């Protein structure tokens, strides 16, 4: 479930939209000022240890680890998956961590029978097989490779006409309605991209389709972008993207929602599992898709629907008749999470966690091993510093998750099992999930925005003589669409970090346990994409992604420094002014969404009255006018705005108290007094959780951060309100506002309580 490309795009969108925020404490580049959350004395010592850490990261180590971990296919339940977990365990132990494997039993379907065939107008049977390439030494491990499939597709055997649905999003079906084409009783063929893959069968099923085929169009990740593999790095014609289509009700084992999948856990029946698709779905290559798409007649596909295949794209169905059969082995499989602890010297009950997953769809050199090897290298170096006398104040926990690809299985079951402890002890979770050459990118809870900006300012880009922070910021400016956006980026002290949806193992930490989280990585530069295919292997990675492993070094430096900085801080380095600024932006976005919808629907209704659609339509083609929509009523966002205002005031007060305590000449506060402040700080992120969770998705407890029910990986901030707005249920959306406003008021109170403690401590040093 690697999501680098998603992160980059989310990051850019958010950068483009950000506004000025008055930072109460200036950024502290260079080595003279205090680090955020540190005393003068502790800053100096910390800088020395961090420099030692960064200097000690060795690219060759990560290259060697990748060669070992990606040597064979290692999906959930495979022999090499377990072997890898044990190998990682040995590395963590070698580094001096107290490490163990924690295992869970989860539902993991694997393919038993897969058929895609066209019965009419011309018989054709899809190969559903990625070919061995002589030049690629691991592409021939056919016996161990998982066949191409979408995990958690329901079993089915269906035959029907074929309809092309573009990316298979809800708006694509509105276009189909305009063309007078229904997918009821049909099998749809959608292309990968633009929406998370699980949304495609979900919306198709809601629209009455009986089956779903997803193919990789060369426009998305094939020859349209550059030379394909093995000449270049892009997906070859028979390459297929595997992947989970688990629905978005909750991540983790479908049979144990909300509780750890331990041997004695109560399990729901398979027929009761909410996250399995309603219709069968299979992924195919464009070599297999081409005969199907070529056979379609009916209307020519709208211009934005056309991909890069050498055909005229039609919507269908015409005389096509397609047979789709999917049958899985619905087995329970073990997942092996590797958990490694370095006990804190002063506050062992405060945990800083760092993780990446180790399972892959096949060999998975990029996804996930390129991230996993940095985590292993960080642990090695932290262990080395520990031997030299470095003692982190807080406990550090390094994690290698299993079962991320099918649906965040390993991390979710672990978080569900240890939820109470995490809520008592969790300070932050720092995630990565793969890595490539390119630009630094971060998403996260915005109490850590300041911190990750500080760290990025101190890491040097391996290929340019500037910091990764400068490079990311200039990249954002280069991509800004107008002067106003460029100005906003230039004025803001920090780069606005992305909002986390549901793309990787941070989800259970932030959305279920309320632990502040970051997701970090480099990417966006390689001319390559073999995502979730047999070609994502060591040969491909070391030729096209990061041949010298210097961006691996940059990620290890970034991840490890972040962990050290949080673990050693006198005062946990959360920041709330930036958080308040982001909350304000989310509310502005909601208001804009309402206004846009009001204008859009009013305009459309007017055009219907004018007879515009009939007048401009070509009478020789079918064209259905869009439906009349009721113009949305005004909503009362006041409770939300008051909530944001309260958080803003409290944040300003906290940041002022902190600046006062950290100003030149201020006496250092004794650590015993700071301990009380830290305990208070740890409750603040937890305050965002609600008992009931999101309406209709109660597993998701966080009031601000959540994936969208129809965006999957993509985030829907303030989802309780926003999801109803997307569904045009305005009264329901309006009814959610007061409760959300109340959460923000509670957060303001929690911040105030930490400020009171801090002021008290600073007054009596
Ligand atoms: Zn991944």
């Amino acid at each position: 479930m690697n999501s680098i490309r998603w992160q980059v795009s989310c990051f850019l969108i958010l950068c483009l939209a950000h506004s000025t925020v008055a930072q109460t404490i200036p950024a502290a580049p260079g080595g003279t000022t205090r680090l955020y959350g540190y005393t003068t004395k502790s800053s100096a010592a910390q800088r020395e240890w961090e420099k030692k850490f960064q200097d000690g990261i060795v690219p060759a180590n990560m290259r060697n680890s990748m060669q070992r971990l990606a040597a064979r296919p290692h999906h959930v339940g495979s022999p090499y998956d377990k072997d890898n977990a044990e190998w990682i365990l040995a590395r963590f132990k070698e580094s001096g961590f107290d490490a163990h494997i924690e295992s869970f039993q989860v539902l993991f379907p694997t393919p038993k029978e897969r058929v895609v065939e066209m019965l009419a107008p011309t018989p054709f049977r899809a190969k559903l097989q990625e070919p061995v390439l002589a030049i690629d030494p691991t592409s021939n491990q056919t016996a161990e490779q998982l066949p191409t499939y979408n995990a958690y597709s329901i079993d089915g055997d269906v035959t029907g006409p074929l309809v092309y649905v573009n990316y298979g999003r809800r708006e694509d079906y509105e276009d189909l309605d305009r063309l007078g084409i229904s997918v009821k009783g049909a099998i749809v063929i959608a292309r990968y991209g633009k929406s998370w893959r699980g949304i495609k069968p979900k919306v198709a099923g809601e629209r009455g389709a009986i089956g779903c085929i997803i193919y990789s169009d060369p426009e998305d990740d094939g020859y349209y972008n550059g030379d394909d593999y093995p000449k270049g790095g892009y997906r070859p014609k028979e390459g297929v993207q595997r992947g989970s289509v688990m629905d978005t009700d909750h991540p983790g084992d479908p049979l144990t929602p909300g509780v750890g999948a331990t041997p004695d856990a109560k399990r729901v029946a398979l027929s009761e599992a909410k996250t399995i698709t309603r219709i069968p779905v299979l992924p195919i290559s464009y070599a297999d898709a081409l005969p199907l798409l070529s056979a379609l007649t009916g209307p020519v596909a709208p211009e934005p629907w056309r991909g890069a295949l050498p055909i005229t794209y039609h919507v269908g169905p015409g005389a096509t008749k397609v047979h789709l059969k999917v049958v899985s082995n619905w087995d329970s499989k073990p997942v092996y999470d590797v958990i490694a602890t370095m006990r804190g010297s002063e506050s062992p009950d405060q945990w800083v966690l760092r993780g990446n997953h180790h399972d892959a769809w096949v060999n998975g050199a990029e996804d996930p091993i390129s991230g996993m090897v940095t985590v292993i290298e960080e642990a090695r170096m932290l262990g080395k510093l520990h031997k030299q006398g470095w003692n982190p104040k807080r406990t550090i926990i390094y994690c290698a998750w299993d079962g991320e690809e099918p649906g965040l299985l390993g991390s979710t079951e672990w978080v569900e099992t240890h939820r109470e402890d995490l809520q008592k002890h969790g300070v932050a979770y720092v995630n990565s999930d793969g890595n490539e050459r390119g630009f630094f990118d971060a998403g996260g809870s915005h109490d850590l925005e300041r911190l990750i900006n500080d760290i990025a300012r101190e890491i040097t880009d391996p290929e340019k003589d500037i910091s990764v922070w400068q490079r990311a910021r200039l990249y954002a400016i280069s991509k800004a669409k107008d002067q106003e956006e460029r100005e906003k980026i230039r004025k803001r002290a920090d780069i606005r970090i992305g909002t986390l949806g549901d793309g990787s193992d941070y989800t259970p930490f932030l959305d279920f346990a309320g632990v502040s989280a970051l997701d970090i990585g480099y990417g966006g530069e390689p001319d390559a994409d073999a995502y979730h295919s047999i070609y994502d292997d060591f040969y491909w990675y070391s030729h096209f992604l990061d041949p010298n492993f210097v961006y691996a070094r940059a990620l290890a430096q970034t991840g490890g420094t972040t962990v050290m900085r949080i673990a050693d801080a006198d005062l946990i380095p959360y920041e709330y002014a930036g958080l308040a600024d982001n909350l304000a932006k989310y509310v502005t976005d909601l208001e804009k969404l309402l206004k846009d919808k009001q204008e859009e629907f009013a305009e459309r209704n007017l055009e219907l009255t004018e007879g515009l659609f009939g007048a401009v339509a070509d009478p020789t083609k079918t064209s259905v006018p869009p439906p009349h929509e009721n113009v949305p009523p005004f909503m009362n966002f006041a409770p939300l705005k008051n909530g944001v205002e309260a958080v803003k005031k409290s944040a300003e007060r906290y940041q002022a108290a902190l600046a006062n305590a950290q100003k030149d000449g201020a006496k250092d506060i004794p650590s015993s007094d700071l301990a009380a402040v830290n305990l208070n700080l740890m409750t603040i992120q937890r305050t965002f959780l609600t008992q009931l969770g999101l309406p209709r998705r109660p597993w998701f407890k966080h009031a601000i951060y959540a994936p969208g029910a129809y965006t999957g990986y993509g985030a829907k901030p303030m989802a309780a309100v926003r999801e109803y707005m997307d569904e045009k249920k305005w009264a329901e959306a309006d009814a959610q506002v007061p409760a959300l406003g109340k959460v923000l008021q509670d957060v303001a109170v929690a911040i105030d309580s930490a400020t009171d403690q801090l002021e008290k401590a600073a007054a009596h040093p």
Side-chain angles (χ1 to χ4, degrees), residues 653-669:
R653 233 195 100 207
Y654 176 77
Q655 299 305 145
L658 182 54
N660 195 42
Q662 287 209 313
K663 73 171 182 260
D664 285 341
K667 280 211 182 121
D668 290 342
I669 300 169

Side-chain angles (χ1 to χ4, degrees), residues 1-2 357 367-368 404-405 433:
M1 258 201 210
N2 166 288
H357 68 101
D367 183 7
E404 189 273 354
E405 291 296 353
D433 186 342

Side-chain angles (χ1 to χ4, degrees), residues 429-447:
Y429 171 66
V430 182
N431 188 70
S432 57
D433 186 342
N435 197 54
E436 307 166 357
R437 285 178 57 242
F439 307 94
F440 178 62
D441 186 28
S445 55
H446 291 88
D447 51 355

Side-chain angles (χ1 to χ4, degrees), residues 471-489:
R471 199 171 179 222
R473 182 166 169 277
L474 292 171
Y475 183 61
I477 292 171
S478 80
K479 296 283 176 187
K481 76 167 195 281
D482 58 28
Q483 192 56 29
E484 192 192 343
E485 284 176 0
R486 285 186 285 272
E487 285 309 309
K488 281 180 178 172
I489 299 169

